[in-house]
Amino acid sequence: MHFQAEIDNHVIEEVNVDLEFIIDFLKQMNHEISSFCTLSYDDYNYVQCAGSIEKMTIEYRKSSGNSFEHSVLGTESSAIIDATIKYSGGEIILKSNEILNLDDAIEVFTTFYKTQSVLDKYKKRDITSIF
C-alpha cells in the first residue's frame, strides 16, 4: 500500500501506511497547502482526492486486464450542472453531483484500503479517455 499526499505544499510518500494515518490526513485537507492525496496498490489501482474537507473531488482507477478504467465519483442527482472546486494547483472543473466532502472521502478511502474497490452507492463518470 502506497500513500502520497501534499502537506504544507510538499509531497510526502509513505509505504505500508495504516488507515488511521490516511484518515488523519483527510481530516486536515484544505485547498491551499494540503489539498490532495492518493492511496494506491499499484499504478492502475488507486483512489485519489483533491480539494478541502468541505468540497473535494474523488477519483477511482481500476485495472482490467491490460487496460484500466478511471472514474470521477459522485452522488445521484437530478440537477447536474458544471461546478468547480479549488486546490493548491488551481481549480478543478466537475459536475455538481461530484463535489464530495470529508465523510465521503473517509468512506471511499476506508473501503478502498480494505477491499480495493468503492461502494456502489457512488456514481462513476468514466473519464478514461483523457489518459
Side-chain angles (χ1 to χ4, degrees):
M1 182 99 50
H2 185 258
F3 185 69
Q4 186 176 45
E6 177 191 38
I7 298 177
D8 296 330
N9 293 121
H10 293 59
V11 176
I12 60 109
E13 294 186 34
E14 298 285 333
V15 178
N16 299 322
V17 65
D18 64 23
L19 184 56
E20 187 174 322
F21 182 89
I22 296 165
I23 291 171
D24 285 345
F25 174 80
L26 294 171
K27 287 179 178 178
Q28 59 83 48
M29 283 184 65
N30 64 75
H31 69 272
E32 295 174 340
I33 61 171
S34 296
S35 69
F36 61 83
C37 67
T38 303
L39 176 63
S40 62
Y41 279 98
D42 56 44
D43 288 342
Y44 294 102
N45 293 291
Y46 61 82
V47 290
Q48 63 186 14
C49 68
S52 66
I53 60 175
E54 299 90 10
K55 292 182 178 182
M56 65 175 62
T57 179
I58 303 175
E59 297 179 2
Y60 171 58
R61 181 178 284 198
K62 180 180 179 182
S63 63
S64 178
N66 291 333
S67 63
F68 63 87
E69 180 180 313
H70 194 107
S71 303
V72 177
L73 301 183
T75 58
E76 288 295 327
S77 177
S78 58
I80 300 173
I81 58 173
D82 288 339
T84 60
I85 63 167
K86 293 180 182 182
Y87 82 115
S88 63
E91 288 188 343
I92 298 171
I93 299 170
L94 304 167
K95 302 297 181 189
S96 56
N97 68 313
E98 296 167 344
I99 297 177
L100 303 176
N101 61 33
L102 174 62
D103 292 336
D104 295 307
I106 289 172
E107 186 172 56
V108 168
F109 276 73
T110 299
T111 301
F112 185 82
Y113 186 92
K114 295 177 178 178
T115 68
Q116 294 185 44
S117 63
V118 296
L119 297 173
D120 290 337
K121 78 179 213 175
Y122 290 99
K123 184 178 176 182
K124 297 179 187 105
R125 179 170 58 94
D126 187 350
I127 60 168
T128 307
S129 63
I130 68 171
F131 295 97

